[in-house]
Amino acid sequence: MTSTPTVAQRNRWQALVLRYPLTSFFALAMGISWLAWTPYILSLDGFGILHFRYPDFLISNQLTAILPGAYLGPLTAAFTVTAITEGRDGLRRWRRRLFQVRAGIWWYVLALVGVPAAIFMGTLAMDGAEDALRIPSVSVLAVYVPMLVLQFFTTGLAEEPGWRDFALTRLQQRHRPMVATTILGILWTIWHLPLFLTPWGGPDAVPEAIGRFFLLTMAISFVITLVFNKARQSVPLIMVLHANVNNFISVAWSQFFPGGPPDWFWGPTLGLSLLAVIVILATRGKLGFSANATQA
């Protein structure tokens, strides 16, 4: 008698996921991540309600405070919804796509060189940035690749199997690529919003910073959609692209443009936004999508 309501509730929940897989994914991704980030927000690093701090390790306290929630959210949501809607066969296909590295070499060039170049050129266009430009030291170059690998297995792996491989694929089955990417970009931004209550948002976590982050996220989203669609839906490749954006901004950007005013923070957003406009115009809004494309 006591087990009947539990079974019934579980069946109703599964039926809800089957009927609304995308909504279920986004609700789970945000709910789980936000719940995991709540202690960080309430700690001495955030509001100071809880009297403890997260330890620093490698990249400040992001690994100890942010990464658990980042991993638990999109990955858990994608795994759960795939398991319910597609079963074991769907999970096998999902895992197999995580190792799809085959893609044209030029897409890797875009991810590794083109995207940082866009960030660099966008900042160079800022007033006074050309005069302040410096060549980074050898130590920056030496740490760049290890930090890129770290970002790949943290930020890239935590987010992209969920946002792009699960959500973007299904959004593009329902909407045109421009609409699908816009929806995903908005929801991706919303997922990050609680982190602006922590040191992750930086000392200038004000409406301007959030607006700048939104534009940056939207620009990255359009570029990633193109690469995902044109490069055989390679999840590792878009993980590299996403990781390289974070890595260049966090490791190399301030070394190229040291001591810049706050306005220069618009440089990466400007550069990536111009790249996104080029992508949209060059593909006439199709962003490389083909209705006949199928996932392995």
Side-chain angles (χ1 to χ4, degrees):
M1 294 291 292
T2 57
S3 63
T4 303
T6 302
V7 172
Q9 291 173 1
R10 184 167 64 247
N11 289 340
R12 285 196 295 269
W13 185 78
Q14 290 176 343
L16 192 65
V17 173
L18 285 167
R19 186 174 182 181
Y20 304 106
L22 272 170
T23 301
S24 300
F25 166 79
F26 288 120
L28 281 172
M30 293 187 187
I32 295 172
S33 291
W34 292 354
L35 182 63
W37 289 335
T38 298
Y40 184 40
I41 295 170
L42 298 180
S43 72
L44 293 174
D45 297 296
F47 289 154
I49 297 175
L50 302 178
H51 294 281
F52 71 91
R53 292 186 185 276
Y54 281 81
D56 291 345
F57 181 68
L58 292 180
I59 48 177
S60 187
N61 57 11
Q62 291 189 38
L63 288 180
T64 56
I66 298 176
L67 190 61
Y71 265 118
L72 288 172
L75 270 178
T76 301
F79 178 89
T80 302
V81 177
T82 300
I84 292 174
T85 58
E86 301 179 30
R88 292 182 179 179
D89 290 340
L91 287 175
R92 280 194 291 268
R93 290 192 295 269
W94 182 60
R95 288 194 297 266
R96 190 162 58 243
R97 291 194 298 270
L98 299 183
F99 298 94
Q100 165 57 17
V101 297
R102 295 177 59 196
I105 185 64
W106 290 111
W107 298 115
Y108 279 98
V109 172
L110 175 63
L112 291 170
V113 180
V115 168
I119 297 171
F120 176 86
M121 295 304 295
T123 309
L124 196 62
M126 296 287 100
D127 185 33
E130 185 175 356
D131 295 333
L133 177 63
R134 298 291 184 273
I135 302 300
S137 64
V138 175
S139 61
V140 174
L141 299 177
V143 77
Y144 193 88
V145 172
M147 289 301 294
L148 177 60
V149 173
L150 179 64
Q151 288 277 5
F152 177 86
F153 285 107
T154 53
T155 301
L157 182 58
E159 297 190 38
E160 294 308 333
W163 299 130
R164 246 56 65 165
D165 187 39
F166 181 92
L168 179 61
T169 299
R170 287 158 179 78
L171 283 168
Q172 289 190 126
Q173 291 171 354
R174 301 183 178 192
H175 307 283
R176 294 181 178 181
M178 289 288 295
V179 176
T181 303
T182 300
I183 293 172
L184 182 55
I186 292 171
L187 292 172
W188 193 23
T189 302
I190 292 173
W191 178 75
H192 284 89
L193 288 182
L195 294 177
F196 280 92
L197 303 174
T198 73
W200 179 90
D204 61 340
V206 295
E208 179 183 341
I210 296 174
R212 185 173 64 236
F213 178 78
F214 168 70
L215 294 176
L216 180 72
T217 303
M218 292 301 301
I220 296 170
S221 295
F222 285 106
V223 177
I224 290 179
T225 296
L226 171 69
V227 175
F228 183 68
N229 287 335
K230 295 292 288 184
R232 302 180 180 181
Q233 298 177 326
S234 172
V235 179
L237 175 54
I238 58 172
M239 287 166 56
V240 169
L241 194 160
H242 184 174
N244 205 28
V245 170
N246 290 14
N247 195 50
F248 186 82
I249 293 175
S250 61
V251 174
W253 182 79
S254 62
Q255 301 300 313
F256 277 110
F257 304 100
D263 288 349
W264 288 6
F265 286 109
W266 282 97
T269 302
L270 174 62
L272 289 173
S273 296
L274 290 176
L275 179 59
V277 170
I278 293 172
V279 163
I280 293 169
L281 294 177
T283 64
R284 298 182 181 180
K286 295 181 180 179
L287 303 177
F289 179 74
S290 172
N292 297 323
T294 57
Q295 291 187 331

